[in-house]
Amino acid sequence: MAIRPQHNDDALKMTSSPLQEVRVRFPDRTERRFSNDTLLSDVLAQAKSSWKESPVALKVNGTVMGLGQRLSDATAGTDLFVIDPVFFSSPEGQEIYRHSSAHIMAQAVKELFPNAKLAIGPPIEDGFYYDFDLGRPFTPEDLDKVERQMKEIAAAHYVFERKVLSKQDAIRFFEEKGETYKVELIRELPENETITVYEQGPFTDLCRGPHVLSTQHVLAFKLLTTAGAYWRGDERNPMLQRIYGTSFPSQEALDQHLKRLEEIKRRDHRRLGRDLDLYNVMDEIGPGLVIWHPKGALIRKLIEDFWREQHQRHGYDFVYSPHIARLDLWRQSGHLDFYRENMYAPMSIEGIEYELKPMNCPFHIMIYKSRLRSYRDLPIRYAELGTVYRYERSGVLHGLLRVRGFTQDDAHLFCRPDQIEQEILKVLDLTVFTLKTFGFNEYEIYVSTRPEKAVGSPENWERATSALESALKTKGMAYRIDPGEGVFYGPKIDLKIKDVLGRAWQCTTVQVDFNLPQRFKLSYIGEDGKEHQPIMIHRALMGSIERFFGVLIEHYAGAFPLWLAPVQVKIMPITDQQHGYADDVARTLIEAGFRVETDPRNEKIGLKIREAEMAKVPYMVILGAREAQSRKLSVRKRSGDNLGELDITAFVDRLNGEVGQRVSS
């Protein structure tokens, strides 16, 4: 039997429509007739199914609706309503489930802290959050109380009931409750806008929905952390208190997720970066500005050396560009119009305004433009590890993953229209090889198509988009279309790499550009002796060195493969009598091209091994009296595996083989 909601507030009014019978078609293609006033939960109860999980909502004629809504809330061109289940395993199902969880948390906070004002509470990837104006931060004890209160609310079986208000009624309702943030949101809506709210027992919130049927259907949840957050992300607005949480349909699934979060915490690049002495971000220097310590700088050099080596093999020319340029350059490129909020304030030098560069592309364009080009010169490929500076709000800065100064592995290709597909194929080859070398073999790929506001002819857009898709198909790379999400100057490919935990990271992007060649009046002389406009391709494989390095740290949990490890071998003499032999071994390994450290301290060998394992050193060479006498090496891997005694030649061969294959040790 469906649970009928109880109404206790005259200000909230249910929508109604004349009662009539309508046809409902179930997923098995059978049909039944219902009153249009029937709750979707009652409709679902009549479905014959062998589903492995219970639906959290229904799609009615393609629109996702909550089970507490009625057939009359749906839009239908005829009297036929086609329904399909929405499960938690789907993106829509997770969004509904976790949005409902956020409402339960908001109710719990209001019941425990009546003076708290509600802001917003959306679902996010793997969870949800809600912002409150409380006047003070939440404590861990507060979170425990809120979580216990949420359990009581869930057990109370409050139905999520959708109601519709006029704009004025909605303003009046939330003004009476003192919910100033909700009122602000409503006032910004058009005058004729109808407002939906959701009621769950004594609690009502502004919301479009949909939601699960009742609070009882949110079975397992956990509040995770708190943080400060400016209202609407603006530092000029009040600082709110945000609570993050997550929820799942079963305790088992929640426990698995919490275990995964612990693994993510263990791999956090910020902690590992500090523990392994790789890099730092200091307030004395400035938020979002990275300084590289020797070991981190060495890994970065190895990454950059590989990058340069591969680009030279693939026909790129290296260029360098300054860190600032006249403001007029950014005005001509359009960045001043389209990107101003992410640029730093100009600086005046001898009465002329200069700007820190947020992009490298205008400099590469000026190199192209420095002399006359022929169709025979194309394609031209310029590559630069160019450091750029972008203003990011302090609230979104995050270790190496979101910074204010970073180095892009940038390249710009200038080609004829008939060369686009071939150039993209070459970019994809280089991308796959590069990412595979660093240990990434799984991707999510998107092709973003023409937005409403775009430059360039429809014919050029069609040709460029077809070239992107054709190249991906040729390579057998599965992709999704992201309609209308191309940049205004052309379509693009976005590639997100999957790390060892299955998390997706945006790295590679390939963008076709019709705009900048037009703005800068680029040309080449064609076979017909006339001027033609080249196509420009923006391309980054790793995205930025900083972000890619942060992803690498988390992917490997700091245990880098041998070719990237800053210290590849740690030599540990057991007593002072083995120091001479240790020096001989170190000299041989260094001459063979390996990065070696010796630990000569008069400490117990167990301590030395433990510290080397914590430093993620791939190989440890332990030298005692027996090894010194036999001129052998006792070799141990950081995993704890003992390789037994090896002679120095066999050990060098093993290291060379591993570095040559660039595999994880």
Side-chain angles (χ1 to χ4, degrees):
M1 178 180 294
I3 297 169
R4 300 293 175 177
Q6 300 297 313
H7 309 292
N8 54 15
D9 195 325
D10 292 337
L12 301 175
K13 307 184 188 305
M14 287 286 294
T15 55
S16 61
S17 60
L19 293 180
Q20 60 183 20
E21 278 202 341
V22 296
R23 288 184 298 139
V24 173
R25 179 177 296 164
F26 292 99
D28 64 358
R29 307 293 294 176
T30 61
E31 293 185 10
R32 292 194 60 179
R33 301 189 73 85
F34 292 89
S35 163
N36 68 345
D37 193 44
T38 306
L39 286 170
L40 294 185
S41 58
D42 290 343
V43 174
L44 181 63
Q46 301 300 316
K48 296 178 182 179
S49 69
S50 56
W51 299 321
K52 293 181 179 179
E53 57 177 311
S54 299
V56 298
L58 287 178
K59 279 187 179 178
V60 183
N61 293 341
T63 300
V64 179
M65 297 177 62
L67 297 178
Q69 292 181 247
R70 301 173 186 277
L71 284 169
S72 56
D73 294 330
T75 301
T78 67
D79 68 341
L80 176 62
F81 292 81
V82 179
I83 68 168
D84 290 290
V86 176
F87 300 112
F88 176 83
S89 54
S90 69
E92 300 103 323
Q94 291 178 18
E95 184 173 315
I96 291 167
Y97 195 89
R98 287 168 175 152
H99 194 186
S100 303
S101 306
H103 275 236
I104 294 173
M105 181 174 72
Q107 180 177 351
V109 169
K110 287 291 288 184
E111 289 178 355
L112 292 170
F113 307 97
N115 293 329
K117 293 183 179 180
L118 302 172
I120 58 172
I124 55 176
E125 185 177 2
D126 291 334
F128 57 90
Y129 72 79
Y130 212 113
D131 290 341
F132 304 92
D133 188 344
L134 185 63
R136 66 167 179 82
F138 287 102
T139 66
E141 293 76 19
D142 291 334
L143 261 61
D144 290 339
K145 292 177 183 177
V146 172
E147 199 170 290
R148 288 196 297 270
Q149 192 71 11
M150 288 176 67
K151 291 178 180 178
E152 292 187 13
I153 293 168
H157 205 338
Y158 294 127
V159 170
F160 284 96
E161 185 179 0
R162 177 180 180 270
K163 299 180 180 179
V164 177
L165 299 174
S166 68
K167 181 176 179 179
Q168 291 307 313
D169 284 344
I171 290 173
R172 188 179 307 111
F173 175 78
F174 285 104
E175 279 183 338
E176 290 173 358
K177 290 185 172 292
E179 298 292 357
T180 54
Y181 297 100
K182 302 293 184 182
V183 172
E184 180 179 330
L185 293 172
I186 297 169
R187 288 190 186 280
E188 294 176 355
L189 298 173
E191 285 303 319
N192 59 350
E193 186 90 1
T194 55
I195 313 298
T196 58
V197 297
Y198 274 81
E199 181 185 90
Q200 59 204 66
F203 178 75
T204 304
D205 202 355
L206 177 69
C207 183
R208 289 183 180 149
H211 288 282
V212 297
L213 179 60
S214 81
T215 58
Q216 183 177 271
H217 288 77
V218 178
L219 301 175
F221 46 81
K222 180 69 178 175
L223 301 187
L224 302 172
T225 58
T226 62
Y230 290 107
W231 171 235
R232 295 187 150 180
D234 191 330
E235 294 95 330
R236 296 167 296 183
N237 289 336
M239 171 69 77
L240 306 178
Q241 302 304 316
R242 177 173 296 177
I243 300 178
Y244 287 97
T246 190
S247 58
F248 287 84
S250 71
Q251 188 63 43
E252 181 183 5
L254 175 61
D255 291 342
Q256 289 176 352
H257 179 72
L258 295 177
K259 184 178 180 181
R260 181 172 181 268
L261 291 181
E262 283 301 312
E263 180 62 18
I264 290 173
K265 184 177 180 182
R266 185 180 76 84
R267 293 170 177 268
D268 191 318
H269 75 280
R270 294 167 298 180
R271 179 183 66 80
L272 288 170
R274 179 184 64 250
D275 293 348
L276 300 177
D277 196 24
L278 301 176
Y279 77 94
N280 211 335
V281 178
M282 299 179 176
D283 286 339
E284 296 90 335
I285 296 172
L289 301 174
V290 180
I291 54 173
W292 295 77
H293 294 198
K295 289 181 179 178
L298 177 56
I299 298 173
R300 172 173 173 160
K301 177 185 179 298
L302 294 168
I303 295 171
E304 293 182 354
D305 287 349
F306 169 81
W307 184 90
R308 290 189 177 93
E309 171 191 315
Q310 294 305 316
H311 280 72
Q312 193 162 8
R313 288 183 179 180
H314 285 77
Y316 287 78
D317 294 313
F318 298 124
V319 298
Y320 293 91
S321 59
H323 291 242
I324 63 172
R326 289 189 175 195
L327 192 64
D328 285 344
L329 182 69
W330 308 108
R331 184 173 286 112
Q332 184 177 359
S333 69
H335 288 99
L336 210 58
D337 296 326
F338 294 102
Y339 210 72
R340 189 70 189 92
E341 63 180 18
N342 293 104
M343 297 170 65
Y344 281 94
M347 62 188 85
S348 179
I349 301 174
E350 297 179 344
I352 298 173
E353 287 190 312
Y354 285 77
E355 176 71 51
L356 278 170
K357 66 173 177 178
M359 305 280 187
N360 299 302
C361 28
F363 298 101
H364 296 187
I365 288 171
M366 297 308 290
I367 296 172
Y368 177 93
K369 197 176 178 180
S370 63
R371 67 181 182 86
L372 186 66
R373 309 288 177 176
S374 162
Y375 72 95
R376 293 189 179 90
D377 298 326
L378 304 183
I380 292 173
R381 310 179 188 98
Y382 294 142
E384 177 182 12
L385 290 167
T387 300
V388 298
Y389 303 89
R390 299 178 187 175
Y391 171 64
E392 300 280 3
R393 297 185 184 276
S394 57
V396 302
L397 297 175
H398 184 79
L400 294 173
L401 304 181
R402 196 77 176 264
V403 294
R404 288 176 172 168
F406 58 92
T407 301
Q408 289 182 308
D409 70 313
D410 218 351
H412 294 93
L413 289 62
F414 302 87
C415 61
R416 305 189 307 266
D418 62 290
Q419 295 173 322
I420 294 177
E421 183 174 342
Q422 190 61 34
E423 286 305 298
I424 293 168
L425 283 169
K426 292 178 180 179
V427 168
L428 292 176
D429 284 339
L430 182 55
T431 297
V432 170
F433 177 75
T434 298
L435 297 179
K436 183 178 181 180
T437 300
F438 287 102
F440 301 106
N441 298 298
E442 295 184 36
Y443 328 104
E444 291 178 357
I445 303 176
Y446 299 86
V447 174
S448 301
T449 58
R450 193 175 194 266
E452 287 187 16
K453 295 182 179 179
V455 298
S457 68
E459 294 77 18
N460 275 343
W461 272 86
E462 178 61 32
R463 175 182 288 181
T465 305
S466 295
L468 294 175
E469 290 193 68
S470 179
L472 289 169
K473 289 174 182 175
T474 299
K475 293 300 176 186
M477 302 174 76
Y479 64 93
R480 304 176 198 170
I481 296 293
D482 203 357
E485 291 302 314
V487 283
F488 71 94
Y489 51 73
K492 63 174 180 170
I493 293 173
D494 284 325
L495 188 149
K496 297 181 180 181
I497 59 177
K498 292 282 195 73
D499 69 8
V500 70
L501 296 181
R503 295 175 297 176
W505 304 90
Q506 173 64 55
C507 288
T508 304
T509 185
V510 185
Q511 303 176 355
V512 180
D513 188 350
F514 312 116
N515 176 55
L516 287 179
Q518 181 179 341
R519 279 179 173 268
F520 283 89
K521 297 181 171 57
L522 301 187
S523 65
Y524 65 90
I525 304 302
E527 288 185 85
D528 57 3
K530 297 179 181 179
E531 288 192 353
H532 298 268
Q533 184 174 293
I535 302 296
M536 182 177 177
I537 300 175
H538 304 250
R539 188 240 66 188
L541 305 185
M542 294 179 282
S544 82
I545 299 297
E546 285 77 5
R547 179 179 174 81
F548 191 73
F549 188 52
V551 174
L552 276 176
I553 294 173
E554 300 204 0
H555 181 63
Y556 288 110
F560 296 103
L562 184 64
W563 76 281
L564 281 177
V567 177
Q568 295 171 312
V569 181
K570 191 91 166 201
I571 300 173
M572 306 174 187
I574 295 177
T575 69
D576 291 349
Q577 283 70 39
Q578 289 87 51
H579 282 186
Y581 182 44
D583 290 342
D584 292 342
V585 172
R587 189 179 307 111
T588 300
L589 292 174
I590 290 170
E591 288 175 356
F594 298 104
R595 299 181 289 277
V596 180
E597 281 185 359
T598 301
D599 187 346
R601 296 176 300 162
N602 187 21
E603 296 285 357
K604 292 182 178 179
I605 193 65
L607 174 65
K608 292 182 179 182
I609 291 173
R610 186 162 59 252
E611 289 182 351
E613 287 176 344
M614 291 177 62
K616 316 288 187 181
V617 178
Y619 286 96
M620 288 152 266
V621 173
I622 300 159
L623 303 177
R626 184 179 63 185
E627 287 81 11
Q629 184 175 0
S630 66
R631 310 302 284 181
K632 299 280 189 178
L633 313 177
S634 180
V635 180
R636 177 187 177 94
K637 299 182 72 173
R638 63 186 164 202
S639 63
D641 295 337
N642 287 308
L643 302 183
E645 287 192 348
L646 300 174
D647 61 42
I648 188 70
T649 302
F651 186 48
V652 168
D653 288 345
R654 180 187 180 94
L655 296 178
N656 278 326
E658 194 169 321
V659 168
Q661 295 176 19
R662 290 194 173 105
V663 296
S664 177
S665 59

